[in-house]
Amino acid sequence: MDVIAASEAQMRTLLCALAEKGEGKLRRKQLIEACAAQLQLDSSDESPDSVFTRTKNRIGTILTALIHAGYITESEAGYLRLQELPRPHFSAFEVREFILACLAGGKTAGKQELFQHAEKQFGVNATQSRDDNNALRSTLGQELTALQNEGSIKKLSRGYRLASEDKYPATELGGFLREAAHGGDLKHCFLEAIHTKGGEWFEAYSVNLLRAYYQMTGKQVDAGAVTGGSNDGGIDGIIHTTDDLGYRETILMQMKNRHAVMTAKDVREFYGAVCAEQGSRGIFITLSSFHPEAQKFIDKVDNLTGMDGDKLFEIAAKCHVGLLEQGGKLCIDEALLLNT
């Protein structure tokens, strides 16, 4: 498969096939690496702008969407399994994509027309139960309403059509960016927009954010990179710094792009990895928050700190990485999230 030309649908199909083959024994990074290997990516260049890194980030974003859509489930231990969907074989994510495809190219269609096309698309007809038929109709109506609320489509007297002037994609990410631009809660939209990008993107973003922070505070950053790989030992990123006196530090990071609260066990395991790797400092970064027991442990250890969603937002605003000031007003750096 041509890596550059591979469509999102082809990527989804490949990820689902690999998840099924893995039989619930693969974690996120392992599945992404298996997909990268299947695509025969050249891993000789792992720089942030390389085809290898950008494609892995793209795979991670698509995997996140598959998990949100219910195609793939993730256990508490982080193992992924292909979800066997009950009949009828459709999800809200599929119906949303179907609606957008039907309205592509300036087409207009009413709700009943869309439903009739959906019956053919998803195989829900008289040979199946009335419940299946009602479920499809209900999901279609819900997604039409959601797309309207996001501003992705418009309802006219003769039906629905795409809001072609809208610069935001009809995705979860586009929805949060649009909400923020229209006066929504900036912090909430920013953190949720990052969450949609997937774990791999979040790791690269966090390294770049910390690089900018250390440079802003007067330290020389000698190196900074995502460690990556399924055998990273719990260390997702590393930064080497030197201060004005020549004192060098090795900062080790772990990033969790999750909504779940980080536990004391999560933090203890990471600190164990920091000690094993002889890091000067450890930074645990999460979009969510820390359990009180986890925070108690962080406060007790001098060379360990935690960055929750609130702190991440604060540092991003201070360093202007992911957040920008335009016209004296703080806003999301849409180009960063849409183009990387």
Side-chain angles (χ1 to χ4, degrees):
M1 185 186 299
D2 186 333
V3 174
I4 303 300
S7 68
E8 185 169 321
Q10 290 172 316
M11 291 281 197
R12 287 200 303 269
T13 300
L14 180 55
L15 282 167
C16 287
L18 291 170
E20 182 177 27
K21 186 177 180 181
E23 298 180 336
K25 298 177 182 178
L26 297 177
R27 285 191 168 95
R28 182 184 180 92
K29 285 190 176 181
Q30 292 172 314
L31 182 58
I32 290 171
E33 287 173 359
C35 186
Q38 193 74 24
L39 292 171
Q40 299 182 335
L41 294 178
D42 180 7
S43 61
S44 60
D45 181 5
E46 297 188 29
S47 64
D49 295 326
S50 68
V51 171
F52 177 76
T53 301
R54 286 188 288 111
T55 305
K56 284 189 68 176
N57 288 344
R58 183 182 175 202
I59 294 170
T61 300
I62 294 171
L63 177 57
T64 298
L66 287 170
I67 293 172
H68 286 179
Y71 285 109
I72 295 174
T73 58
E74 184 173 14
S75 70
E76 290 186 2
Y79 290 102
L80 303 175
R81 180 182 293 276
L82 184 68
Q83 179 68 18
E84 293 184 7
L85 297 175
R87 294 180 67 89
H89 295 288
F90 64 85
S91 67
F93 183 75
E94 287 180 294
V95 173
R96 168 181 287 248
E97 286 196 326
F98 168 76
I99 293 170
L100 295 172
C102 285
L103 301 179
K107 296 177 183 176
T108 301
K111 185 173 182 179
Q112 185 58 31
E113 182 183 354
L114 287 169
F115 177 67
Q116 290 172 351
H117 289 314
E119 283 186 304
K120 297 177 182 178
Q121 172 73 15
F122 298 108
V124 181
N125 51 46
T127 63
Q128 294 175 303
S129 73
R130 180 174 294 179
D131 287 342
D132 289 348
N133 194 287
N134 290 338
L136 177 59
R137 187 181 292 276
S138 175
T139 303
L140 184 81
Q142 291 170 3
E143 291 307 307
L144 283 171
T145 300
L147 287 167
Q148 269 188 274
N149 292 339
E150 291 173 9
S152 299
I153 63 174
K154 290 184 176 181
K155 186 176 182 181
L156 308 175
S157 58
R158 61 183 184 278
Y160 298 90
R161 75 172 184 187
L162 293 179
S164 56
E165 69 278 7
D166 191 356
K167 66 177 181 178
Y168 300 106
T171 60
E172 278 190 292
L173 172 59
F176 288 121
L177 294 179
R178 183 184 300 104
E179 182 180 342
H182 293 169
D185 186 305
L186 183 63
K187 183 192 297 183
H188 169 76
C189 292
F190 175 66
L191 296 178
E192 289 298 328
I194 286 179
H195 181 63
T196 68
K197 297 291 288 183
E200 294 67 37
W201 189 93
F202 181 53
E203 290 174 2
Y205 169 78
S206 298
V207 169
N208 290 332
L209 175 63
L210 266 295
R211 283 173 60 96
Y213 171 77
Y214 282 120
Q215 289 170 342
M216 187 182 73
T217 54
K219 291 189 177 182
Q220 174 184 323
V221 177
D222 303 314
V226 174
T227 57
S230 58
N231 299 315
D232 57 20
I235 304 299
D236 297 322
I238 184 170
I239 290 179
H240 298 288
T241 66
T242 305
D243 65 15
D244 291 340
L245 295 177
Y247 183 74
R248 297 178 180 175
E249 285 191 317
T250 297
I251 296 98
L252 303 178
M253 293 170 281
Q254 185 169 97
M255 301 78 152
K256 294 293 185 184
N257 184 2
R258 297 180 183 174
H259 287 127
V261 173
M262 296 296 104
T263 66
K265 179 176 181 291
D266 294 324
V267 175
R268 288 179 185 276
E269 289 180 351
F270 168 60
Y271 186 62
V274 172
C275 294
E277 296 295 327
Q278 298 182 331
S280 307
R281 299 182 187 276
I283 303 179
F284 196 116
I285 306 173
T286 176
L287 290 177
S288 59
S289 60
F290 294 97
H291 187 276
E293 289 299 317
Q295 189 61 55
K296 187 183 297 184
F297 179 79
I298 291 172
D299 294 339
K300 185 173 65 175
V301 180
D302 290 338
N303 64 335
L304 176 67
T305 190
M307 183 186 293
D308 61 10
D310 290 340
K311 192 65 175 179
L312 179 74
F313 180 81
E314 177 187 328
I315 298 299
K318 186 179 296 185
C319 298
H320 290 169
V321 178
L323 292 168
L324 301 173
E325 283 192 19
Q326 293 181 347
K329 182 180 179 182
L330 194 64
C331 61
I332 296 175
D333 184 351
E334 297 176 353
L336 177 68
L337 278 90
L338 290 171
N339 300 327
T340 59

